[in-house]
Amino acid sequence: GELTKLDGPGAFEVVPLRKGALAGAEPAETAAFWKRISSLQRSVTAASLSLRSATKRLKALDRVMARSMNDDPAMTKELEGIRQALLDIDFRMNGHRSKQQIGEKYPDTVRDRISFASIGTLYSTYGPTAAHSGSMDMAEKEFSTLRTELNSLLQTRLPAFETSLQEAGAPWIEGQEIPEVNK
């Protein structure tokens, strides 16, 4: 039941088993590119999960609006505006979901660009080509814009809409602060 340390860390040198037919990037450059892909994939996954969560939240808000006594057209318009903004971000990040199913073409998305950069380099020690690096540059630039839009939507516009809905006397939904009892 006891752990005993047998030895400490040791130094070793990694050498390739064989030399590639083509000149490739330095191992450090290849590893840095892989880290870059991993970091962007992590952020895109977080954004996708946030989009999914916000979409579920929007459906709940839609049900609440239908059950409330509020018939303000401005609130309906704002809810639809938020929905369209979420759909637009999802489309630009992931593409047209229906068209993906049947293989139709659509403009390249952030995920397409990441996929191109990663498939060609993750299982190769040659490193990224100029096309791989260019694809990553475009994916990072496009995602930066999408990230800003999504954060603004999730941190400002959606909470403001929820607050205005609560103030209008809409029913409580899961995830909101528990309301005080009015006497």
Side-chain angles (χ1 to χ4, degrees), residues 2-19:
E2 291 183 22
L3 295 175
T4 305
K5 186 175 181 177
L6 299 177
D7 199 2
F12 62 92
E13 182 181 346
V14 177
V15 294
L17 293 175
R18 57 191 163 275
K19 184 175 178 165

Side-chain angles (χ1 to χ4, degrees), residues 88-100:
D88 178 60
I89 291 169
D90 184 50
F91 176 77
R92 289 170 27 221
M93 193 164 63
N94 300 306
H96 196 289
R97 295 193 188 276
S98 297
K99 288 184 179 182
Q100 286 175 342

Side-chain angles (χ1 to χ4, degrees), residues 118-164:
S118 62
I119 287 174
T121 61
L122 286 178
Y123 302 108
S124 168
T125 54
Y126 284 110
T129 64
H132 295 129
S133 295
S135 184
M136 276 301 292
D137 290 342
M138 286 187 281
E140 287 168 338
K141 181 180 178 186
E142 290 169 11
F143 181 70
S144 176
T145 301
L146 292 174
R147 181 183 171 278
T148 301
E149 290 175 25
L150 183 58
N151 279 334
S152 173
L153 193 68
L154 297 177
Q155 295 169 3
T156 307
R157 193 169 172 191
L158 190 57
F161 177 74
E162 279 192 52
T163 300
S164 64

Side-chain angles (χ1 to χ4, degrees), residues 1-181:
E2 291 183 22
L3 295 175
T4 305
K5 186 175 181 177
L6 299 177
D7 199 2
F12 62 92
E13 182 181 346
V14 177
V15 294
L17 293 175
R18 57 191 163 275
K19 184 175 178 165
L22 303 171
E26 291 296 318
E29 180 184 341
T30 302
F33 191 75
W34 291 342
K35 284 181 182 178
R36 190 174 158 200
I37 290 171
S38 177
S39 176
L40 184 57
Q41 283 177 328
R42 177 178 174 260
S43 294
V44 168
T45 299
S48 290
L49 292 173
S50 294
L51 270 170
R52 185 179 309 147
S53 176
T55 301
K56 286 180 185 177
R57 187 91 175 148
L58 218 54
K59 285 179 184 177
L61 291 170
D62 198 18
R63 284 191 306 271
V64 162
M65 277 192 59
R67 293 179 182 149
S68 74
M69 299 297 203
N70 186 355
D71 60 353
D72 184 0
M75 291 188 81
T76 303
K77 186 177 180 180
E78 176 62 6
L79 179 68
E80 190 55 33
I82 293 171
R83 182 185 337 275
Q84 288 305 315
L86 286 173
L87 289 172
D88 178 60
I89 291 169
D90 184 50
F91 176 77
R92 289 170 27 221
M93 193 164 63
N94 300 306
H96 196 289
R97 295 193 188 276
S98 297
K99 288 184 179 182
Q100 286 175 342
Q101 299 298 320
I102 56 174
E104 276 196 43
K105 291 291 183 186
Y106 52 86
D108 285 337
T109 65
V110 171
R111 283 202 185 272
D112 292 335
R113 295 183 194 292
I114 295 170
S115 180
F116 173 77
S118 62
I119 287 174
T121 61
L122 286 178
Y123 302 108
S124 168
T125 54
Y126 284 110
T129 64
H132 295 129
S133 295
S135 184
M136 276 301 292
D137 290 342
M138 286 187 281
E140 287 168 338
K141 181 180 178 186
E142 290 169 11
F143 181 70
S144 176
T145 301
L146 292 174
R147 181 183 171 278
T148 301
E149 290 175 25
L150 183 58
N151 279 334
S152 173
L153 193 68
L154 297 177
Q155 295 169 3
T156 307
R157 193 169 172 191
L158 190 57
F161 177 74
E162 279 192 52
T163 300
S164 64
L165 202 56
Q166 286 173 342
E167 289 170 354
W172 178 86
I173 61 170
E174 185 178 341
Q176 290 179 337
E177 184 176 318
I178 297 172
E180 290 186 26
V181 177

